[in-house]
Amino acid sequence: MPVEGSAPLAQIPQGLGSFGIGARYDGEFLHNMKFTKASSSSNGVVTNLNLSDPPKVSFKYNAGTVDIPMGLPTLHLFGGSSLYIAPVFTVGGAVYDVKGKSGRIGQTIVYEGSGPMIGGGFGSTIMNPHCPLFGGLDVLYRDNLGVGVSPAPNSVGNGSQSNTLSYYEWNVAARGGYSFATGVRFAPSVAPWAGVEFDSTNVKLTGSDNTLGQSSSYKNEVVANDFKGIAGLDARLCGQLFGRAQVSFNDTDYAVMAKLVYQFDLSNLLK
């Protein structure tokens, strides 16, 4: 089937002046992040914590965002193949959750909060209109700009503290798949695909407390740098509506994503 109607272009508007707007859900669940920094301060005296046997920390978020991809001119390659590239901007919000051991053995503290999520990157697909095989490379950066969090009601923690969670993440994913026509009216083409992704997530949790003339603070930083397998399905739906669902995973962590993208061309809107 022709490239213009193919499911792999689910997030790649075609040509300068073409845009997309999409509703997107992301959920990421990291179960074993590693400490890179941990310190506490009491009345100006800073103590660096021993990281030789640090406690485990888990982090998760559920995000609802809007994707805005913008088409660039198509690059025509050898053998009739074409490369489609689209910068993409992401804006929305998320609910964040970080869990780890407190200073007292056996007790767990959970910090919860919500706030913005912004990001940007690009998506790309290379394919030939006469071949059902395709490949792609996607890069995305996300940031929450720092949000206030507080201990969950059922966890151990000092509710009078002022706590901030700062999160940023970037990933790069390479994928390949097969596109085929279905003969179904509401989904005329679908494309299963699989690949590999490198994901880097950094979480900083800082807090301070001033009680009865005593001032204290802490600063912790945890990271997860992982390779993950990815698998997904692109679908061309009715008209200019496209969809994508995907999952990424390794032995301890996983993430899910689903989105719908509507593509349009400015020249058509001005007619």
Side-chain angles (χ1 to χ4, degrees), residues 168-237:
Y168 68 85
E169 174 185 15
W170 68 271
N171 61 57
V172 55
R175 53 190 165 80
Y178 186 94
S179 179
F180 60 92
T182 65
V184 178
R185 190 171 185 178
F186 63 86
S189 68
V190 298
W193 52 264
V196 63
E197 169 187 272
F198 177 76
D199 183 274
S200 178
T201 301
N202 182 290
V203 177
K204 295 180 181 179
L205 187 63
T206 60
S208 62
D209 187 21
N210 291 280
T211 305
L212 300 176
Q214 301 289 321
S215 63
S216 62
S217 64
Y218 71 92
K219 180 182 295 184
N220 296 331
E221 181 176 343
V222 291
V223 300
N225 296 315
D226 296 308
F227 283 97
K228 299 177 182 178
I230 56 173
L233 180 72
D234 289 355
R236 178 174 181 254
L237 307 176

Side-chain angles (χ1 to χ4, degrees), residues 77-109:
L77 308 176
F78 53 89
S81 297
S82 298
L83 176 63
Y84 303 87
I85 302 175
V88 59
F89 298 93
T90 298
V91 61
V95 176
Y96 302 95
D97 182 303
V98 60
K99 178 170 64 175
K101 296 292 184 181
S102 71
R104 285 170 285 182
I105 297 176
Q107 295 178 317
T108 299
I109 184 168

Side-chain angles (χ1 to χ4, degrees), residues 9-13 18-26 63-70 87-93 117 119 140 237 240-244 257-264:
L9 300 182
Q11 62 173 357
I12 313 294
S18 295
F19 293 84
I21 184 166
R24 172 172 177 152
Y25 163 76
D26 285 275
T65 58
V66 173
D67 272 5
I68 305 175
M70 302 182 298
V88 59
F89 298 93
T90 298
V91 61
M117 176 179 283
L140 182 63
L237 307 176
Q240 293 300 107
L241 187 63
F242 296 79
R244 170 172 289 182
M257 185 274 284
K259 69 176 178 179
L260 289 175
V261 177
Y262 177 78
Q263 295 183 14
F264 60 92

Side-chain angles (χ1 to χ4, degrees), residues 44-63:
V45 179
V46 178
T47 303
N48 292 314
L49 305 185
N50 183 8
L51 298 182
S52 60
D53 186 24
K56 292 183 178 180
V57 174
S58 64
F59 172 70
K60 67 179 181 181
Y61 68 75
N62 290 278

Side-chain angles (χ1 to χ4, degrees), residues 12 33 39 61 73 92-93 97 114 134-135 138 141 144 150-151 162 189 192 196 204 222 246 251 254-255 262:
I12 313 294
M33 302 190 75
S39 65
Y61 68 75
D97 182 303
S114 61
F134 66 91
D138 303 319
Y141 174 84
N144 76 345
S150 57
S162 174
S189 68
V196 63
K204 295 180 181 179
V222 291
Q246 76 174 55
D251 58 338
Y254 68 95
Y262 177 78

